[in-house]
Amino acid sequence: MRDDEEKEEQDVKERLPCEFFLIRYVPDVVKGEFTNIGVLLREAAKAESAVVRFTRDWSRVRCMDADADIGLLEALEGEIAERLRMSATDPKPVLALLQDTLSNSVQISEARASLAESMPAELEQLMRMYVEPLKIKVSRQRTGRAAIAGAMRSEFERAGVWGLMRKRIAASLYTRPGDPMKIDCGYRPNGVIRMFQAVSLDNDVEAAKGLAYSAPQLREGVLRVESAKLELTAIVEPLRSVSDIEDEAMERYRFGIEAMEREEIRVVTVSDLARVAEAARVELRV
């Protein structure tokens, strides 16, 4: 019994003292109702060690606020991560930096203490405990563009570059005011800006046609505004085997690919994402 107690005491001593903050979405500050959407974790008294993670499942937010701007909330994660990187040399406390930028609809809790085996493991544990909804036995699998976008984000995160990328890039910055298109993500490693867009060809090819139509204006706008060349990449589903797919669906798939490639859009499938993410890691020198 004594050996077990000594081992437990040693394990506690070897753990990292940390503090974490819950990031909450508060659609109505008067009612005070909220749902946790993310976690900010850092080693105690070490601002430079801070990391942030947001949920991937926005069902709770949508239940509370059907009009919630999910794209804006997803982009906020990147903004917070960027400010955390900047704060390593900034004398202002990390939380003060964040509170300066968050609206009343997004709030941060008071600090709570924890002991971590490692920062990544603790972040995962805190997300499971406080943020992610309980998984039901039968869950609907994401399909179409949502599945492609999720796979793209996962691979870029696995490569450690997601936090370094721009998200939800407004096409109107490069085309004309009022253009509603948003490009999923992108980065600039040198004189080229690389942008990536999830495009589903399973049901229809309208998204492919829209991206192909916008590509020349985007390319011209990037050159004008950024003085850089644009490499636009579309991520699509792999083509299923001929025996599993109808002739009409196959024709739509090929039409979508050809429409994008005709406008010099690079097309890769989800199975190529690991290679794409690795190239980003090398270019961004992560």
Side-chain angles (χ1 to χ4, degrees):
M1 187 67 177
R2 181 60 180 171
D3 290 342
D4 291 341
E5 291 176 355
E6 289 179 353
K7 184 178 183 302
E8 183 177 348
E9 184 178 348
Q10 183 64 29
D11 288 343
V12 171
K13 288 180 180 180
E14 291 176 354
R15 290 176 179 254
L16 293 172
C18 296
E19 54 187 6
F20 67 93
F21 308 81
L22 299 176
I23 301 173
R24 296 166 170 169
Y25 180 67
V26 188
D28 189 330
V29 293
V30 176
K31 291 182 179 178
E33 298 175 345
F34 67 86
T35 183
N36 296 327
I37 62 172
V39 171
L40 189 155
L41 174 68
R42 67 181 181 185
E43 291 186 48
K46 289 187 179 180
E48 69 276 7
S49 67
V51 291
V52 65
R53 173 82 61 83
F54 273 27
T55 185
R56 307 283 186 81
D57 185 341
W58 297 96
S59 56
R60 285 181 174 177
V61 170
R62 290 192 177 97
C63 285
M64 295 185 69
D65 181 6
D67 297 323
D69 190 337
I70 302 302
L72 182 63
L73 292 174
E74 289 178 333
L76 184 60
E77 179 182 6
E79 180 181 345
I80 293 176
E82 178 63 24
R83 288 184 171 265
L84 290 174
R85 283 191 293 275
M86 293 168 56
S87 69
T89 57
D90 193 321
K92 291 182 66 179
V94 172
L95 290 184
L97 271 170
L98 299 182
Q99 290 166 350
D100 285 345
T101 64
L102 299 183
S103 63
N104 288 334
S105 63
V106 181
Q107 300 175 3
I108 299 178
S109 72
E110 296 294 326
R112 304 185 187 184
S114 68
L115 292 174
E117 293 182 3
S118 69
M119 292 285 284
E122 187 68 7
L123 189 59
E124 292 291 339
Q125 176 71 5
L126 292 172
M127 288 293 293
R128 286 195 297 269
M129 290 175 61
Y130 294 103
V131 178
E132 301 297 358
L134 294 174
K135 302 297 181 183
I136 56 177
K137 291 183 179 179
V138 179
S139 60
R140 186 174 59 186
Q141 186 176 3
R142 288 192 299 179
T143 59
R145 178 179 141 73
I148 298 171
M152 183 168 61
R153 173 172 176 169
S154 294
E155 286 296 341
F156 282 131
E157 282 188 333
R158 189 172 291 115
V161 298
W162 180 252
L164 303 176
M165 302 175 76
R166 294 170 61 191
K167 289 90 172 178
R168 301 275 297 173
I169 304 167
S172 59
L173 294 172
Y174 307 108
T175 55
R176 55 176 296 178
D179 188 338
M181 177 175 283
K182 298 286 194 300
I183 303 299
D184 291 323
C185 60
Y187 66 95
R188 180 174 183 165
N190 40 50
V192 177
I193 291 180
R194 307 197 195 283
M195 294 185 185
F196 303 88
Q197 183 78 340
V199 178
S200 176
L201 301 176
D202 257 359
N203 299 318
D204 61 65
V205 294
E206 291 302 320
K209 288 172 62 179
L211 189 62
Y213 173 82
S214 299
Q217 300 172 65
L218 278 169
R219 198 169 287 111
E220 292 172 8
V222 167
L223 183 61
R224 182 182 68 254
V225 176
E226 307 279 1
S227 298
K229 294 182 179 180
L230 171 65
E231 182 186 274
L232 183 58
T233 298
I235 315 295
V236 303
E237 306 97 339
L239 178 63
R240 289 173 289 167
S241 63
V242 176
S243 60
D244 294 336
I245 194 167
E246 299 176 1
D247 290 343
E248 185 179 349
M250 182 183 294
E251 289 175 0
R252 288 199 304 266
Y253 185 95
R254 288 175 174 166
F255 175 85
I257 298 291
E258 291 170 3
M260 291 187 288
E261 289 183 338
R262 193 178 302 120
E263 296 300 336
E264 299 180 13
I265 298 172
R266 177 189 178 207
V267 181
V268 301
T269 68
V270 172
S271 57
D272 295 317
L273 277 173
R275 177 174 52 82
V276 171
E278 175 61 19
R281 186 191 67 79
V282 171
E283 289 184 318
L284 293 172
R285 297 179 176 86
V286 175

